[in-house]
């Protein structure tokens, strides 16, 4: 089959890889001059099956209210006159019940476990290098209350097969000696030894090169303008091509993997995707004193920051701002990230050496991505991966390739459309 993949972020490139492996002829369309130049550029680097607790959980509404208007809040809902934002916000609240939150957590855990295993096999098969480390993820707490509240979700995760262990402060410093400076303030941590970290940009660009070697064609500088459907079936993709001219491209199947920009293209076909951009920040610091920098990937619960070591760099990422598509860097947030990093790891680097980045997480209200068939025949979805697109990249790519190849994916997940375990996408009939 000929398959067009729209978008060359980690999701589009992983889809292309598994589709090519399944024997399909694949073309990837990307508006930038290379792969992984948008949200898959500078993220937190965690392959974190253990971060399966969705943002939308029973304690979220109260916390978000407290954070409203606070410039350095970890999760900031900046209210706008934007119906898409309000509609997303209301759906988010609906996902905060204990039942919905548990359902979503199970989806994220299943997909995460499958995806991490898929990434490990891909690594064994190809030898791909991306500054990865397999030293686990340590989620540490400086608040006793938050630590106590983490014990039950960790227990549920263990029951569901994710080895998220609860550990005391002494054990934290044994696993990551660089945390010694804040040892007296630690309430405890959870540790998932099977989780990993690595540079998503390196991974995606190198996987794109491996895809090309397998015959995948990447068309960079090509902007998808419009999807054409007729009689309930995809008929083509209208693009502004490399020369600025317009053309319509056709294939047997089309994969929508445009991250936060997916809903605009899908909506005219009647495919309504609840995806809203959640802007995040990262800082990358050169490691000047390796003895003071962590090698285990970390999550700082108090500041909602994650830390991943990429060779001689430390990546710190976090914060979420629901404020539309603006990409400006807020200096208050940038400074807060570096201040906290050097407070925990004093002398590790110098603040003026930080390189800042911002990206838009394609967030769904319940954190669960859209993967599978849409109601428009031939149009497949692989989008809305929110906070976990790097963790879920390989599993999502592998699953969509299975679905397009008429095979049932090996993971128990609420896929959209057919086959199986369906998650319906609201869709009026097409004219
Ligand atoms: C601060 C931050 C930290 C994060 N940390 C982690 C982490 O530690 N672990 C984790 O698992 N996840 C993390 N994430 C989430 C993860 O980065 C995303 O879920 C993932 O990158 C999304 O990938 P994607 O391919 O869907 O989107 P993108 O990478 O944005 O790819 C979409 C592609 O589509 C292209 N495109 C869009 N519109 C068009 C068009 N009209 N025509 C042609 N091309 C188009 C874009 O140029 C882009 O290349 C983090 C995100 C942020 C912002």
């Amino acid at each position: 089959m000929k398959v067009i993949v729209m978008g060359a972020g980690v999701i589009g490139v992983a889809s292309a890889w598994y589709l090519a492996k399944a024997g399909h002829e694949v073309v990837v369309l990307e508006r930038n001059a290379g792969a992984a130049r948008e949200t898959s550029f500078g993220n937190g680097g965690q392959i974190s099956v253990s971060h399966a607790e969705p943002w939308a959980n029973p304690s979220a509404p109260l916390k978000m209210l407290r954070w409203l208007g606070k410039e350095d809040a970890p999760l900031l809902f900046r209210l706008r006159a934007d119906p898409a934002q309000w509609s997303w916000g209301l759906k988010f609240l609906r996902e905060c019940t204990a039942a919905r939150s548990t359902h979503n957590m199970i989806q994220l855990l299943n997909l995460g476990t499958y995806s991490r295993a898929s990434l490990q096999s891909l690594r064994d098969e190809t030898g791909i290098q991306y500054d990865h480390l397999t030293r686990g993820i340590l989620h540490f707490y400086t608040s006793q209350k938050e630590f106590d509240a983490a014990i039950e979700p960790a227990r549920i995760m263990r029951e569901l097969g994710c080895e998220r262990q609860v550990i005391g402060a002494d054990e934290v410093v044994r696993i990551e000696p660089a945390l010694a400076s804040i040892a007296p303030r630690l309430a405890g941590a959870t540790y998932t030894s099977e989780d990993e970290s690595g540079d998503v940009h390196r991974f995606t660009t190198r996987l794109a090169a491996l895809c090309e070697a397998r015959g995948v064609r990447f068309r960079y500088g090509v902007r998808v303008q419009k999807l054409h459907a007729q009689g309930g079936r995809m008929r083509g993709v209208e693009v502004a091509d490399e020369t600025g001219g317009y053309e319509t491209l056709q294939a047997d199947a089309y994969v929508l993997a445009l991250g936060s920009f997916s809903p605009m293209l899908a909506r005219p076909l009647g495919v309504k995707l609840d995806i809203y951009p959640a802007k995040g920040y990262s800082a990358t610091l050169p490691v000047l004193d390796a003895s003071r920098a962590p090698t285990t990937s970390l999550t700082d619960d108090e500041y909602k920051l994650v830390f991943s070591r990429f060779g001689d760099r430390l990546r710190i990422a976090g914060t979420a701002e629901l404020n539309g598509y603006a990409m400006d860097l807020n200096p208050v947030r940038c400074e807060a990230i570096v201040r906290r990093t050097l407070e925990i790891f004093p002398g590790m680097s110098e603040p003026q050496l930080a390189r800042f980045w911002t990206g838009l997480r394609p967030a769904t209200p319940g954190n669960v991505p859209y993967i599978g068939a849409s109601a428009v025949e031939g149009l497949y979805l692989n989008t809305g991966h929110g906070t976990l697109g790097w963790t879920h990249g390989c599993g999502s790519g592998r699953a969509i390739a299975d679905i397009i190849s008429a095979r049932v994916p090996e993971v128990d997940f609420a896929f959209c459309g057919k086959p199986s375990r369906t998650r319906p996408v609201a869709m009026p009939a097409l004219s």
Side-chain angles (χ1 to χ4, degrees):
M1 264 207 289
K2 180 170 179 185
V3 186
I4 289 180
V5 175
M6 293 171 266
V10 65
I11 301 299
V13 174
S15 304
W17 170 255
Y18 288 102
L19 283 162
K21 273 192 78 170
H24 299 294
E25 181 192 341
V26 184
V27 178
V28 181
L29 307 176
E30 167 57 51
R31 63 184 170 190
N32 285 298
R37 303 269 176 113
E38 298 212 359
T39 314
S40 305
F41 182 79
N43 78 14
Q46 293 193 328
I47 300 296
S48 48
V49 180
S50 56
H51 284 179
E53 205 189 358
W55 278 347
N57 61 62
S59 69
L62 207 65
K63 277 188 187 162
M64 285 176 77
L65 264 182
R66 266 206 327 262
W67 287 333
L68 266 182
K70 271 184 81 180
E71 275 307 311
D72 58 353
L75 181 57
L76 178 60
F77 218 109
R78 220 186 268 283
L79 295 176
R80 301 153 48 93
D82 174 1
Q85 190 202 42
W86 283 78
S87 154
W88 190 95
L90 289 173
K91 286 176 180 148
F92 177 90
L93 288 176
R94 277 217 309 260
E95 298 295 323
C96 287
T97 62
R100 288 302 305 159
S101 175
T102 305
H103 166 84
N104 292 336
M105 183 164 93
I106 292 169
Q107 305 310 311
L108 298 173
L109 265 179
N110 288 353
L111 182 60
T113 309
Y114 173 69
S115 194
R116 189 179 59 199
S118 303
L119 170 67
Q120 288 163 350
S121 333
L122 192 159
R123 200 164 62 215
D124 291 345
E125 179 189 344
T126 62
I128 191 168
Q129 296 290 317
Y130 50 96
D131 283 333
H132 54 279
L133 287 172
T134 54
R135 294 177 49 85
I137 292 182
L138 189 60
H139 187 137
F140 64 89
Y141 297 81
T142 43
S143 146
Q144 189 63 46
K145 190 168 159 235
E146 294 296 334
F147 178 51
D148 292 344
I151 291 172
E152 179 58 10
R155 187 193 62 76
I156 297 173
M157 283 188 204
R158 285 197 300 280
E159 247 174 37
L160 294 168
C162 170
E163 272 314 304
R164 188 170 173 180
Q165 300 296 337
V166 176
I167 58 172
D170 290 354
E171 183 70 356
V172 174
V173 179
R174 196 193 60 73
I175 294 170
E176 182 43 74
L179 284 173
S181 69
I182 59 158
R185 286 160 50 202
L186 288 172
T190 62
Y191 180 54
T192 313
S193 62
E194 289 177 14
D195 275 342
E196 304 188 348
S197 57
D199 183 338
V200 66
H201 176 255
R202 286 205 175 158
F203 174 84
T204 307
T205 50
R206 288 176 185 179
L207 187 62
L210 291 169
C211 285
E212 282 186 302
R214 268 188 178 265
V216 174
R217 183 164 173 229
F218 283 81
R219 291 188 60 182
Y220 294 118
V222 170
R223 180 179 294 272
V224 178
Q225 304 277 56
K226 197 172 174 194
L227 308 184
H228 288 291
Q230 206 183 22
R233 175 158 181 65
M234 275 294 286
R235 299 291 171 194
V237 181
E238 189 181 317
V239 299
D241 68 17
E242 298 85 341
T243 62
Y246 289 91
E247 40 175 319
T248 300
L249 308 173
Q250 275 153 352
D252 304 302
Y254 304 78
V255 179
L256 187 68
L258 298 174
S260 293
F261 298 86
S262 304
M264 294 83 144
L265 273 301
R267 196 180 304 123
L269 301 190
V271 179
K272 187 172 176 325
L273 302 177
D274 288 317
I275 296 174
Y276 196 78
K279 181 173 157 186
Y281 288 76
S282 76
T284 309
L285 283 163
V287 174
L288 301 181
D289 182 346
S291 69
R292 291 168 182 261
T295 49
T296 307
S297 189
L298 304 171
T299 301
D300 173 1
D301 192 74
E302 187 178 341
Y303 281 71
K304 304 283 180 272
L305 291 176
V306 302
F307 302 80
S308 293
R309 178 79 172 266
F310 303 153
D312 57 4
R313 299 170 292 150
L314 185 68
R315 168 74 47 77
I316 313 101
T319 79
E321 229 174 85
L322 291 130
N323 186 29
Y325 284 79
M327 296 286 287
D328 52 305
L329 279 167
N330 175 337
V332 177
R333 286 184 172 273
C334 293
E335 278 159 29
I337 292 173
V338 173
R339 197 181 328 112
R340 176 64 172 175
T341 304
L342 295 178
E343 179 197 331
I344 304 177
F345 309 112
M348 184 282 288
S349 192
E350 295 288 343
Q352 69 278 11
L353 299 177
R355 279 188 293 114
F356 297 106
W357 169 85
T358 181
L360 302 174
R361 300 175 185 88
T364 61
N367 272 44
V368 179
Y370 293 97
I371 308 172
S374 78
V376 177
E377 206 188 323
L379 177 65
Y380 295 85
L381 308 170
N382 200 0
T383 187
H385 291 75
T387 49
L388 288 172
W390 176 207
T391 305
H392 291 161
C394 288
S396 304
R398 194 171 161 192
I400 202 72
D402 277 341
I403 290 168
I404 291 173
S405 309
R407 290 194 298 255
V408 177
E410 288 166 22
V411 51
D412 187 359
F413 179 79
F415 290 107
C416 311
K418 294 175 188 166
S420 75
R421 312 152 179 147
T422 54
R423 181 157 75 111
V425 177
M427 178 110 39
L430 288 164
S431 55

